């Protein structure tokens, strides 16, 4: 017998990137950082006491919020901590979107957005990017979108830089989009540490703009699971009602605070990744690919003549 909700029965479910077990691989499929994390993180983990593990962690991750606030120039009350940015996306979706309502996001982009909508029993509106990876008027329209629905979106996701293209929408354009949208706009900045611009300053300009970040990519902490959101405090107050009581453990809070505090390490590592990105892009062009200029730690590289799946399968 099936006792689960019909939405769960009918959905495919999110499939995480393949994680090969055993052996040694040059593994690119989940955009992990190739460098070791900051030594400050290792020290923080080693310094964590058994007393800290015996007790429940700080439910608000105050140590991280204070450190992140100093680094980013944001009041700690504007920060919400999460078990990776996927947790942040889940909290935001559960807060703003009900069953039968609509969420919107560009296509192609992060496939988890659709899954989160389906879990909520919500409709999803995939708005294709333009050929130059910009967003047209359909992205902010309340009447022209696909699939058609009489209801305007309750939440819009915008990955920036985008995955899988690595392209960006400028902060000025995102502010204009937010002013035209009838709902919150979550700017998913998972790859912002590798980009030339970001949207943190926009949060203070428009209550509808929320910015999510992760320590998985830029800080080489994908295995730690820590992310955060920056939003105006009245928004954070409502989101706190929805999150799990202790959604970040003591180890991750302590380590994440140490990681974001080591900005010298971040800048050195970022420079190495960007240098490799430039070299890779140039080399791919020499091989006949047509890579898009990336602002992330990966490169979108179609080929005008060759099918890419056989290339992928051969490399694997």
């Amino acid at each position: 017998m099936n006792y689960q909700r019909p939405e769960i029965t009918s959905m495919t479910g999110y499939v995480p990137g393949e994680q090969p077990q055993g052996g040694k691989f040059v593994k690119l499929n989940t955009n992990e950082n190739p460098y070791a994390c900051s030594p400050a993180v290792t020290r923080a983990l080693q310094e964590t006491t058994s007393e800290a593990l015996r007790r429940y962690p700080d439910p608000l991750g105050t140590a991280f919020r204070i450190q992140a606030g100093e680094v980013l120039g944001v009041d700690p009350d504007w920060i919400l901590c999460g078990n990776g940015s996927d947790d942040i996306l889940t909290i935001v979706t559960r807060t703003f979107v009900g069953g039968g309502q609509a969420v919107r996001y560009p296509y192609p982009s992060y496939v988890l957005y659709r899954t989160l909508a389906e879990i909520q029993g919500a409709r999803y509106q995939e708005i294709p990017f333009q050929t130059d990876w910009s967003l047209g008027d359909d992205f902010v329209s309340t009447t022209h979108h696909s699939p058609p629905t009489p209801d305007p979106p309750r939440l819009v996701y915008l990955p920036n830089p985008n995955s899988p293209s690595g392209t960006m929408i400028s902060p000025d354009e995102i502010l204009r989009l937010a002013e035209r949208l009838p709902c919150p706009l979550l700017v998913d900045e998972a790859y912002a540490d590798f980009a030339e611009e970001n949207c943190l300053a926009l949060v203070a300009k428009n209550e509808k703009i929320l910015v999510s970040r992760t320590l998985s990519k830029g800080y080489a902490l994908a295995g730690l699971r820590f992310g955060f959101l920056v939003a105006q405090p009245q928004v954070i107050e409502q989101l706190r009602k929805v999150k799990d009581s202790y959604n970040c453990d003591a180890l991750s809070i302590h380590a994440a605070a140490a990681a974001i505090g080591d900005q010298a390490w971040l800048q050195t590592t970022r420079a190495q990744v960007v240098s490799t990105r430039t070299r890779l892009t140039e080399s791919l062009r020499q091989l006949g690919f047509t890579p898009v200029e990336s602002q992330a730690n990966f490169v979108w590289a179609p080929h005008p003549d060759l099918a890419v799946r056989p290339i992928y399968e051969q490399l694997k």
Side-chain angles (χ1 to χ4, degrees):
M1 297 180 67
N2 295 326
Y3 297 101
Q4 62 269 21
R5 292 162 47 216
E7 295 91 347
I8 305 303
T9 303
S10 62
M11 66 183 285
T12 301
Y14 175 70
V15 179
E18 182 181 356
Q19 300 289 341
Q21 302 297 311
K24 185 174 182 180
F25 305 87
V26 178
K27 180 177 172 299
L28 305 177
N29 65 317
T30 48
N31 305 328
E32 291 146 331
N33 197 312
Y35 299 102
C37 65
S38 164
V41 174
T42 305
R43 290 194 298 269
L45 292 172
Q46 292 171 340
E47 293 167 358
T48 304
T49 65
S50 59
E51 179 68 10
L53 299 179
R54 182 181 68 81
R55 303 173 63 180
Y56 284 105
D58 175 7
L60 300 182
T62 304
F64 173 82
R65 292 188 300 111
I66 291 173
Q67 182 66 71
E70 292 178 359
V71 169
L72 303 175
V74 175
D75 189 288
D77 288 340
W78 291 49
I79 298 175
L80 178 76
C81 299
N83 181 20
S85 61
D86 286 354
D87 183 34
I88 293 295
L89 298 176
T90 301
I91 293 168
V92 171
T93 306
R94 291 171 64 193
T95 300
F96 294 116
V97 185
Q101 296 178 329
V103 300
R104 183 177 298 179
Y105 49 88
Y107 181 84
S109 64
Y110 190 20
V111 295
L112 181 65
Y113 303 146
R114 172 174 170 172
T115 301
L116 293 176
E118 290 177 324
I119 291 172
Q120 286 296 102
R123 292 190 289 267
Y124 54 90
Q125 302 167 357
E126 296 179 342
I127 310 299
F129 278 105
Q130 310 268 32
T131 55
D132 62 353
W133 295 100
S134 64
L135 294 171
D137 287 340
D138 278 358
F139 195 71
V140 292
S141 171
T142 57
T143 56
H144 299 94
H145 41 70
S146 178
T149 171
D151 302 322
R154 295 284 299 180
L155 175 66
V156 171
Y157 310 103
L158 179 56
N160 205 49
N162 181 53
S163 174
S165 64
T167 53
M168 281 193 71
I169 306 298
S170 72
D172 287 344
E173 177 62 18
I174 287 177
L175 183 59
R176 287 192 287 269
L177 292 173
E179 290 169 347
R180 296 176 63 186
L181 285 167
C183 63
L185 170 60
L186 191 153
V187 185
D188 183 352
E189 291 195 337
Y191 299 98
D193 292 318
F194 307 104
E196 296 175 1
E197 297 181 287
N198 64 70
C199 293
L200 282 180
L202 302 184
V203 176
K205 297 180 179 181
N206 190 316
E207 178 188 37
K208 291 186 288 185
I209 297 177
L210 296 72
V211 174
S212 65
R213 292 278 185 94
T214 179
L215 272 63
S216 295
K217 313 299 185 183
Y219 291 89
L221 292 174
L224 187 73
R225 310 309 304 133
F226 197 94
F228 63 98
L229 180 82
V230 179
Q232 293 194 16
Q234 66 274 19
V235 178
I236 295 292
E237 180 182 6
Q238 300 304 312
L239 295 170
R240 285 177 178 173
K241 299 176 183 178
V242 177
K243 79 174 189 67
D244 290 344
S245 302
Y246 305 100
N247 60 331
C248 298
D249 61 74
L251 285 168
S252 66
I253 294 170
H254 194 34
I260 203 166
D262 192 353
Q263 289 297 297
W265 177 92
L266 177 65
Q267 295 309 316
T268 298
T269 304
R270 178 190 185 279
Q272 292 173 307
V273 170
V274 170
S275 176
T276 302
R277 184 181 73 196
T278 300
R279 187 171 70 253
L280 175 63
T281 302
E282 294 171 351
S283 299
L284 286 168
R285 288 198 177 109
Q286 292 173 9
L287 291 171
F289 291 86
T290 54
V292 177
E293 289 294 337
S294 175
Q295 288 286 297
N297 67 337
F298 56 84
V299 176
W300 172 263
H303 196 287
D305 303 313
L306 299 178
V308 295
R309 176 166 287 279
I311 299 173
Y312 151 74
E313 290 174 347
Q314 183 179 2
L315 288 169
K316 183 177 178 180

